[in-house]
Amino acid sequence: MKLTTKSIDIENRGVLLHAGDAREISVRDGDRVEVKNHITGESVSAFVDTTASLIPQGVIGIYRPTQVRIDVLEGAEVEVRAADRPATLDFIRKKMDGLRLGKEETLAIIRDVVDDVLSPSELTAYIVATYTNPLDMDEVEHLTRAMVETGEQLHFPSYPIVDKHSIGGVPGNKISLLIVPIIAAAGLKIPKTSSRAITGAAGTADLMEVLAPVAFSALEVQQMTEKVGGVIVWGGATNIAPADDRFITVEYPFKIDARGQMLASVMAKKFAVGANLVAIDIPVGEHTKVPNADEGRKLAREFIDLGERLGMRVECALTYGESLVGHTIGPKLEAREALAVLEGATEPTSLIQKSLSLAGILLEMSGKAAPGQGYAVAQEILSSGRALEKMKQIIEVQGGDPSVTSAGIVPGEHQFVVNAPATGYVVELNNKALISLARAAGAPQDRGAGVYIHAKKGTQVRSGEPIFTVYADRKWRLQKALEEGRRLMPVVVEGMLIDRVPSRHWGVGGDVHGA
Amino acid sequence: MKLTTKSIDIENRGVLLHAGDAREISVRDGDRVEVKNHITGESVSAFVDTTASLIPQGVIGIYRPTQVRIDVLEGAEVEVRAADRPATLDFIRKKMDGLRLGKEETLAIIRDVVDDVLSPSELTAYIVATYTNPLDMDEVEHLTRAMVETGEQLHFPSYPIVDKHSIGGVPGNKISLLIVPIIAAAGLKIPKTSSRAITGAAGTADLMEVLAPVAFSALEVQQMTEKVGGVIVWGGATNIAPADDRFITVEYPFKIDARGQMLASVMAKKFAVGANLVAIDIPVGEHTKVPNADEGRKLAREFIDLGERLGMRVECALTYGESLVGHTIGPKLEAREALAVLEGATEPTSLIQKSLSLAGILLEMSGKAAPGQGYAVAQEILSSGRALEKMKQIIEVQGGDPSVTSAGIVPGEHQFVVNAPATGYVVELNNKALISLARAAGAPQDRGAGVYIHAKKGTQVRSGEPIFTVYADRKWRLQKALEEGRRLMPVVVEGMLIDRVPSRHWGVGGDVHGA
């Protein structure tokens, strides 16, 4: 059926049909139609909402994301028909039934994911099927290659290209802001793509955005890396392994991280930027994604195996994941902390040691340091100021202000200090609760929001000394964070009263209330 | 945040927020918000689309289905906030991890499904998890009870209440149109709810709608059943076990039918109408849902076991499912065929025998016929005209015209007869292809559309005799069906040429074309 387009400014991947037109082509709400652009001859598939009044019969409302995909002008004529059932649904069904998927089947699924042919529900079915019927290493390799092929790729004229990845689960992990300039200062190329926080308080992209813009095309990432040796950009803007963003959206309500998906997502992004030397940071700890060192070593072997299949050298570092890295959570607080280290601060040791260890691995892998000398070489690059100088070049090439200093980064103006109610040791510092607090305060959207932890686990504090400070850009957010803090009690000092429970039988005035 | 409502006539379960307001409360497209009606104090949860221009800041667009749920007037003030993550997501995750769900957890999930708290993607995750990690019988019982409790229930003052169900997979299965009047004519109560076709050419509700309206509330179903003994209505309008409709929507792209879900859906609908005697028709055959008699008997035992747990007596009939029942596919054609049998037609025997067998089982279960006499009693009720008389009462009580006759039901005016190209036996009659043909012709939406099969499998036909006739209400639909017929070849006559493949090297005029 021929329909005339009308743009509708709604962020939704579908189209809007008049109920009468929908009946005519036998589709219902939620069904899939194929919309063909008469000029280009190209078709996109889209899901249907219907209306009886918003548009007349003969008109199709094109929501904004669909507009981008089909690329038609307002008032253009398009051909609309009920879409065929995608063959990839049968492949997904196959995986549900516990069968293995071949290379072409996996590629077809990922192509349909990226082209928005599959609905979020259909993608969910795929993800859940691969979670309950885990992918074997052949399938993981197919998936990795499919994720690479369905997105942009960088092609550098010379090797090595190095990269690093932290599989997450530990807060305050701002090490990329140190590792990238150290590696680039050593004369290596490191085109680092990173993510924004989804459930956390700040992703590496959120931190870097405090210092410079982070949204670039794949080509720009390549050009900037060739120019200064490294970048720290937001992967979401590059269209590198774009299927990953779709997976994350589906996985996050369930907090699942299907092993095969995770391996493929990480390695696809490294492969697509052309990296051939990769260090993977695997934080280990009861509250991270990897509960113990044995699990960590197993995962490491899988990364290394997958890397070999793809022609990449991978080394993994099992790191301590029980405690936050450094003292800060939240975009500005973390960016300030990392920049201060580049400027010469000798604290916090947890941040500096972890960053130098990872950087050291990459320096050794690439031959820029002799075996066993990586840490020392990284330390020299940092303490000599060369890493700071490189970071300023990176900030500048990404369009930020290279004269920025840590002192110039001012976190949220609304603050609240939580003091130790008693003298004793900090016996508990709940990472998840601290993240909730930072998010309640507005992080990551409000860049100044976050938490500064003065006394980490094991530290002795005296009564009245600060344990942590909450920062917020907006006053009502600070209020919300305080409520969250009272509810979650993220820090416990030994000997401190956790709560006072008044007697049920005595009211303020001594009145006796009934039960 | 307080926002003012504006109704938006779009059939979608969400709400529309201005991008600025969405940022303010930290939600993104696809996130969940809680919308609280200030007057009633009630909250509903809804998914967010955003816009930068369609509505101003301070206004929330309420899509039509959301409007029904929250029940606010245009211009009302509502409180909108980012919704908490539903606890049921953790239960779904638990099932993904292969653990068993308890009664309360299952009830909470089904409640969130019915209340639209869970998104289609989240529901998909639940369905896929129960498909890959099958429910045990305790879980199936919990699910059945949860599906009953989250919908309407009928409460008749006296027993028995009888019911029947066909688990599907065989086309043309119009037996309810005979069984219900026979059973009601025997003095029993049979409040039959039925479904519309989803992937088929006509569901029982689609057939009945040719004769009378089928959309009634649960209370109306009860009142009509008390008045005339039986009804044949569309279950979708009754709000009986409403979770089932949601399940079906999710399952149908994948053509899955998770065993536990299927058992629960069937039995919940029987339990909710108050039935205590139930006959289940299990068509067995390579192309149905149950490939052989052993599988059929296993499924039958599960239905019987679940029935016992719920206090219902269940008997199952394994029936021949390889061939269509009767000669017709499509709403009007099937309704006409069934009505003709009620009027006294002695053909088609496949339809008559199957209907009498099932009715006979119910008559014996209820004591209306002695053991072994059910078929004969049913036959007597049919041939005496009492079943026709009862059907007219049912049609009348549902608001149809009781003077209707089979001769008065006229199928689609556009027809095309496919004749046998050679003399021989019909060796193949592909049910799936016939259904595709009927759907291409417009069924079930176009009630006159469908297929009449003159020569079923095993019949001898002479060259030039009709094999099947395609009917359509609209001419272009007939054209589409013919194209589909040529593609699918639903009927094969032994000895007939399946296709002619011309020599590649000789064109019409004898020219030689290059390869």
Side-chain angles (χ1 to χ4, degrees):
Chain A
M1 146 181 297
K2 284 190 175 39
L3 296 174
T4 305
T5 62
K6 178 177 161 58
S7 303
I8 297 192
D9 175 25
I10 288 183
E11 294 293 331
N12 178 307
R13 288 178 180 163
V15 292
L16 184 65
L17 291 184
H18 188 279
D21 291 336
R23 244 192 321 274
E24 186 68 22
I25 59 168
S26 301
V27 296
R28 297 178 301 181
D29 307 306
D31 280 353
R32 202 185 319 258
V33 289
E34 198 177 294
V35 183
K36 187 171 175 182
N37 179 331
H38 270 300
I39 294 162
T40 65
E42 299 213 349
S43 292
V44 302
S45 115
F47 291 86
V48 173
D49 283 344
T50 61
T51 178
S53 65
L54 270 193
I55 50 172
Q57 276 195 266
V59 169
I60 179 171
I62 310 278
Y63 293 151
R64 247 184 44 84
T66 310
Q67 183 89 38
V68 173
R69 286 163 54 217
I70 189 175
D71 191 24
V72 288
L73 296 174
E74 173 96 10
E77 194 174 73
V78 289
E79 180 69 32
V80 180
R81 64 177 193 84
D84 296 329
R85 181 172 175 279
T88 44
L89 294 181
D90 290 328
F91 307 156
I92 295 173
R93 163 71 189 263
K94 205 173 146 183
K95 194 69 210 164
M96 282 187 212
D97 285 328
L99 303 172
R100 292 178 69 245
L101 293 182
K103 184 172 179 184
E104 295 307 317
E105 290 167 331
T106 300
L107 180 59
I109 291 172
I110 300 307
R111 206 176 287 291
D112 277 357
V113 167
V114 171
D115 292 346
D116 280 326
V117 169
L118 294 175
S119 71
S121 287
E122 291 157 355
L123 173 57
T124 299
Y126 172 66
I127 297 286
V128 176
T130 66
Y131 179 74
T132 57
N133 296 320
L135 303 176
D136 68 19
M137 202 40 96
D138 283 343
E139 290 181 301
V140 172
E141 183 187 341
H142 300 328
L143 176 57
T144 310
R145 291 188 187 275
M147 290 178 75
V148 171
E149 284 174 38
T150 50
E152 300 277 339
Q153 294 181 55
L154 308 191
H155 298 281
F156 287 96
S158 67
Y159 286 99
I161 304 298
V162 305
D163 207 348
K164 60 81 55 180
H165 184 82
S166 293
I167 68 161
V170 56
N173 198 19
K174 55 205 70 87
I175 60 173
S176 290
L177 267 58
L178 300 181
I179 294 172
V180 172
I182 291 171
I183 295 300
L188 295 163
K189 291 200 182 63
I190 181 164
K192 174 85 188 102
T193 64
S194 57
S195 49
R196 295 189 184 281
I198 295 173
T199 54
T204 295
D206 300 313
L207 307 189
M208 186 64 190
E209 207 173 27
V210 172
L211 306 172
V214 294
F216 297 98
S217 70
L219 183 64
E220 290 169 325
V221 169
Q222 178 162 342
Q223 289 166 338
M224 292 188 299
T225 304
E226 278 171 356
K227 196 161 175 191
V228 301
V231 291
I232 303 171
V233 301
W234 175 45
T238 58
N239 200 33
I240 287 170
D244 185 49
D245 281 343
R246 315 289 216 283
F247 293 162
I248 290 170
T249 309
V250 163
E251 287 170 343
Y252 108 92
F254 299 104
K255 302 177 182 170
I256 60 168
D257 211 351
R259 176 71 67 100
Q261 296 289 350
M262 192 253 276
L263 287 166
S265 288
V266 170
M267 294 299 282
K269 285 183 276 187
K270 307 298 139 191
F271 191 84
V273 299
N276 64 325
L277 302 177
V278 176
I280 311 258
D281 164 25
I282 303 180
V284 174
E286 210 186 319
H287 301 98
T288 70
K289 294 178 183 177
V290 180
N292 57 55
D294 272 353
E295 282 299 313
R297 276 186 282 268
K298 209 174 126 196
L299 180 59
R301 276 191 297 271
E302 290 174 337
F303 271 117
I304 291 165
D305 179 12
L306 181 57
E308 272 171 20
R309 286 165 173 260
L310 300 166
M312 299 152 80
R313 247 185 82 205
V314 175
E315 228 176 284
C316 299
L318 272 57
T319 56
Y320 181 66
E322 276 304 284
S323 184
L324 83 165
V325 178
H327 289 281
T328 56
I329 298 176
K332 280 191 177 175
L333 285 163
E334 293 195 50
R336 183 175 71 167
E337 188 174 48
L339 196 55
V341 170
L342 288 168
E343 289 165 355
T346 53
E347 277 255 303
T349 48
S350 58
L351 169 61
I352 295 170
Q353 289 174 4
K354 183 170 179 182
S355 304
L356 294 178
S357 297
L358 266 293
I361 288 172
L362 287 170
L363 293 172
E364 292 178 22
M365 287 174 84
S366 62
K368 291 285 175 184
Q373 296 303 308
Y375 189 100
V377 173
Q379 191 161 37
E380 195 280 323
I381 294 174
L382 176 63
S383 57
S384 68
R386 285 161 57 206
L388 176 64
E389 193 190 330
K390 182 55 73 180
M391 187 61 167
K392 295 195 170 207
Q393 291 173 14
I394 293 171
I395 291 170
E396 188 165 24
V397 81
Q398 291 187 207
D401 174 8
S403 69
V404 65
T405 61
S406 61
I409 300 173
V410 183
E413 58 172 315
H414 303 282
Q415 298 161 22
F416 190 89
V417 182
V418 175
N419 294 317
T423 296
Y425 285 90
V426 174
V427 290
E428 174 136 5
L429 193 73
N430 182 327
N431 289 336
K432 274 192 187 151
L434 287 172
I435 291 172
S436 289
L437 209 64
R439 288 182 66 92
Q445 281 84 2
D446 293 357
R447 289 190 195 160
V451 183
Y452 187 100
I453 293 90
H454 304 279
K456 287 172 74 173
K457 195 169 169 176
T459 320
Q460 196 185 17
V461 286
R462 286 169 193 285
S463 176
E465 278 183 355
I467 309 178
F468 63 89
T469 304
V470 182
Y471 292 83
D473 288 342
R474 292 180 281 177
K475 199 171 178 185
W476 69 270
R477 281 293 204 175
L478 186 69
Q479 194 52 44
K480 243 190 114 179
L482 292 178
E483 286 161 20
E484 193 75 354
R486 255 192 293 279
R487 193 171 70 81
L488 293 173
M489 302 276 280
V491 181
V492 176
V493 176
E494 190 187 35
M496 106 188 195
L497 213 55
I498 291 189
D499 203 358
R500 279 183 66 175
V501 184
S503 161
R504 292 175 60 224
H505 296 290
W506 299 95
V508 176
D511 289 297
V512 178
H513 298 273
Chain B
M1 141 183 304
K2 283 189 177 41
L3 298 175
T4 305
T5 62
K6 177 177 164 57
S7 303
I8 297 191
D9 175 25
I10 289 182
E11 294 293 330
N12 178 305
R13 288 178 179 163
V15 292
L16 184 65
L17 291 184
H18 189 278
D21 290 337
R23 241 190 326 273
E24 185 68 23
I25 60 169
S26 300
V27 295
R28 296 179 299 180
D29 307 304
D31 280 354
R32 202 184 319 258
V33 288
E34 198 177 294
V35 183
K36 188 172 175 181
N37 178 331
H38 269 301
I39 295 161
T40 65
E42 299 212 349
S43 293
V44 301
S45 113
F47 290 85
V48 173
D49 284 343
T50 60
T51 178
S53 66
L54 271 191
I55 51 172
Q57 275 196 265
V59 169
I60 179 172
I62 310 279
Y63 293 151
R64 249 184 41 85
T66 309
Q67 182 91 36
V68 173
R69 288 162 54 215
I70 189 173
D71 191 24
V72 287
L73 296 172
E74 173 94 12
E77 194 175 72
V78 289
E79 180 70 32
V80 180
R81 64 177 193 84
D84 296 329
R85 181 173 174 277
T88 46
L89 294 181
D90 289 328
F91 307 156
I92 294 173
R93 163 72 189 262
K94 206 174 144 181
K95 193 69 210 164
M96 282 187 214
D97 285 328
L99 303 172
R100 293 180 66 246
L101 293 182
K103 185 173 177 183
E104 295 308 318
E105 290 167 331
T106 300
L107 180 58
I109 290 172
I110 301 307
R111 207 177 285 293
D112 277 357
V113 167
V114 171
D115 292 346
D116 281 326
V117 169
L118 294 177
S119 71
S121 287
E122 291 157 357
L123 173 56
T124 299
Y126 172 65
I127 297 286
V128 176
T130 66
Y131 179 76
T132 56
N133 297 321
L135 303 176
D136 68 20
M137 204 37 101
D138 284 343
E139 289 181 303
V140 172
E141 182 187 342
H142 299 329
L143 176 58
T144 310
R145 293 187 186 276
M147 290 178 76
V148 171
E149 283 174 38
T150 50
E152 300 278 339
Q153 293 180 57
L154 309 190
H155 299 281
F156 288 96
S158 68
Y159 285 99
I161 305 297
V162 304
D163 207 347
K164 60 81 54 179
H165 184 82
S166 293
I167 68 161
V170 57
N173 199 17
K174 55 206 68 92
I175 59 173
S176 290
L177 267 59
L178 301 181
I179 294 172
V180 171
I182 290 171
I183 295 301
L188 295 164
K189 290 200 182 64
I190 181 163
K192 174 83 188 105
T193 64
S194 57
S195 48
R196 295 190 185 280
I198 295 172
T199 54
T204 296
D206 299 313
L207 307 189
M208 187 63 190
E209 208 173 28
V210 172
L211 306 171
V214 294
F216 297 98
S217 70
L219 183 63
E220 289 168 325
V221 169
Q222 178 162 341
Q223 288 166 341
M224 293 188 297
T225 303
E226 279 171 354
K227 198 163 175 190
V228 301
V231 292
I232 301 169
V233 301
W234 174 44
T238 60
N239 201 33
I240 286 169
D244 186 48
D245 281 342
R246 313 290 215 286
F247 292 163
I248 289 170
T249 310
V250 163
E251 287 170 344
Y252 108 92
F254 299 104
K255 304 177 181 167
I256 60 167
D257 210 353
R259 176 69 68 99
Q261 295 289 349
M262 192 253 277
L263 288 165
S265 288
V266 170
M267 295 299 282
K269 285 183 276 187
K270 307 298 140 191
F271 190 85
V273 299
N276 64 324
L277 302 178
V278 175
I280 312 260
D281 164 26
I282 303 180
V284 174
E286 210 186 319
H287 301 99
T288 70
K289 293 178 183 177
V290 180
N292 56 55
D294 272 353
E295 281 298 313
R297 276 186 282 268
K298 210 175 126 195
L299 179 59
R301 278 191 296 272
E302 290 174 337
F303 270 118
I304 291 165
D305 179 11
L306 181 56
E308 271 171 20
R309 287 166 173 259
L310 300 166
M312 300 152 80
R313 247 185 81 206
V314 174
E315 228 176 283
C316 298
L318 272 56
T319 57
Y320 180 66
E322 275 303 285
S323 184
L324 82 164
V325 179
H327 288 281
T328 56
I329 298 176
K332 280 191 177 174
L333 285 163
E334 292 195 52
R336 182 175 72 167
E337 188 173 49
L339 196 55
V341 170
L342 288 169
E343 289 165 356
T346 53
E347 277 257 305
T349 48
S350 59
L351 170 61
I352 296 171
Q353 289 173 3
K354 184 171 179 180
S355 303
L356 295 178
S357 298
L358 266 293
I361 289 172
L362 288 169
L363 293 172
E364 291 178 21
M365 288 174 82
S366 63
K368 290 285 175 186
Q373 297 301 308
Y375 189 100
V377 173
Q379 193 160 34
E380 194 280 323
I381 295 173
L382 176 63
S383 56
S384 68
R386 286 161 59 206
L388 176 63
E389 191 191 330
K390 181 54 73 180
M391 187 62 169
K392 295 194 170 209
Q393 290 172 15
I394 294 171
I395 291 170
E396 187 165 25
V397 81
Q398 291 188 207
D401 174 7
S403 70
V404 65
T405 61
S406 61
I409 300 173
V410 183
E413 58 170 316
H414 303 283
Q415 298 161 20
F416 189 90
V417 183
V418 175
N419 295 316
T423 296
Y425 285 90
V426 175
V427 290
E428 172 134 7
L429 193 74
N430 182 328
N431 289 335
K432 273 193 188 150
L434 287 172
I435 291 172
S436 289
L437 210 63
R439 288 181 66 93
Q445 282 84 2
D446 293 357
R447 289 189 196 162
V451 182
Y452 188 99
I453 293 91
H454 303 278
K456 287 172 73 172
K457 195 170 168 175
T459 320
Q460 197 188 12
V461 285
R462 287 170 194 284
S463 176
E465 280 182 355
I467 310 180
F468 64 88
T469 303
V470 182
Y471 292 84
D473 288 342
R474 291 181 281 176
K475 197 170 178 187
W476 70 269
R477 281 294 204 175
L478 186 69
Q479 194 51 46
K480 242 189 117 176
L482 292 178
E483 285 162 22
E484 193 75 353
R486 257 192 291 279
R487 194 172 71 79
L488 293 173
M489 302 275 281
V491 182
V492 176
V493 176
E494 189 187 32
M496 106 191 195
L497 212 56
I498 292 188
D499 204 356
R500 279 180 68 175
V501 184
S503 161
R504 292 174 60 223
H505 295 289
W506 298 96
V508 175
D511 288 299
V512 178
H513 296 274

